[in-house]
Amino acid sequence: MAHVDEQTALIRALFAAAAGGATECEAADGGDSAVAGAPWQDMLQRLRQVTRADGAALWLDPARGRGPSWVHGTMAGPEAAIRRSLRFDRVYGADELPGDPGDAGALRVVKARAGTHLQATLGIARQSHRQDFRSADGQQLNALAPFLGQAAEIWARHQAARERAARDAGLAAGLGAGWLLLDATGLILDLSPAARTWGAALGLQLAARRRLDLADGARALALRGGLTACLAGEGPVPLTLSRDPLVELVLTRDPGPGDAAILARLRHSMPCAAIPPARIARHFALTLSEARLTALICDGHSLRDAAHRLGWTEATARTCSKAIFARLGVSGQPGLVRRVLSGALWLEA
């Protein structure tokens, strides 16, 4: 029964890891793969304990060899080309792998198909001075093989969803958008990373389980009134969180399940001055001088003020602005502001 219990525990750990969150990864093997930690580490640690191995690893390789591999664990094992040549659902020993194993010690690996785009290879290893694995240890891998592909496929779907969410969050942050989830008293239940960053810049302690407290009495009163209005079914309710820099939010009832909550969508003003002039110049095919003037105009400065800041004469600023208008095909300063603020410049990293 102990063997059955260990096997069941391994299968449960395998699927728990598949459903777990991704962790930060760093490039490895010359940039062809990435090394990741938990949640797979918990499963690999359990596998090491059950098989009394010195190391364990999981390799997730693209089925057609295009793109990077994901490496979980620190065990040295067969290279990607060798992993792709292995047969599915067969447990290999070190002496059965293609190539020269050298002094790699005892090794067992098994590969499973994870959908049509991914292959998963699981391995355990012992140092060369220790005895080889028992047959029962190899059977642990063999028993995991039917579930390994399923778990890896689940992980891949979750990973794709996380990557899409990260892209969406990056685009929103580039446009100055973020959100807070509040309860009826203004307690922050959850928030976007962008909102946390802006809160620090504004001197606000925006963090989960903290209250959204505003130092300005009138704005604090407006916030309480907005929360009450939303809970009563009114809304959306616009509020100003800060004037300089301008941060506005709109309160609405959160459509999600559970207790009554309020979603605060934030918009943070994004000054053009924060964008490197070289990026503006590249995006609009301007010179650096034209890019600097463009940023100042879009941030609300008059030509006279912009000229003073740049150390130019007003006549020089006027001549330069006409060249910018012609280059971008706009009419005057309002057209330039509309072109820059509504364009894709803000989405460049």
Side-chain angles (χ1 to χ4, degrees), residues 15 77 87 98 185 214 237 240-241 280 296 299:
F15 283 102
R87 292 169 53 188
T185 67
L214 304 179
V237 180
T240 298
L241 195 61
I280 300 175
L296 289 171
D299 281 345

Side-chain angles (χ1 to χ4, degrees), residues 208-231:
R209 312 313 303 176
R210 297 189 69 95
R211 202 167 305 283
L212 179 57
D213 292 322
L214 304 179
D216 185 284
R219 290 176 184 163
L221 183 62
L223 174 63
R224 289 195 293 272
L227 295 174
T228 301
C230 281
L231 291 175

Side-chain angles (χ1 to χ4, degrees), residues 131-156:
Q131 291 183 346
D132 198 351
F133 290 101
R134 301 171 303 163
S135 175
D137 297 323
Q139 286 301 315
Q140 291 287 0
L141 292 184
N142 190 56
L144 284 175
F147 306 99
L148 178 60
Q150 299 174 37
E153 190 174 5
I154 292 171
W155 177 88

Side-chain angles (χ1 to χ4, degrees), residues 315-340:
T316 299
R318 194 170 303 279
T319 299
C320 186
S321 68
K322 291 179 180 178
I324 296 170
F325 302 156
R327 189 79 57 84
L328 272 64
V330 299
S331 177
Q333 295 181 39
L336 175 64
V337 172
R338 184 167 55 250
R339 173 70 178 85
V340 172

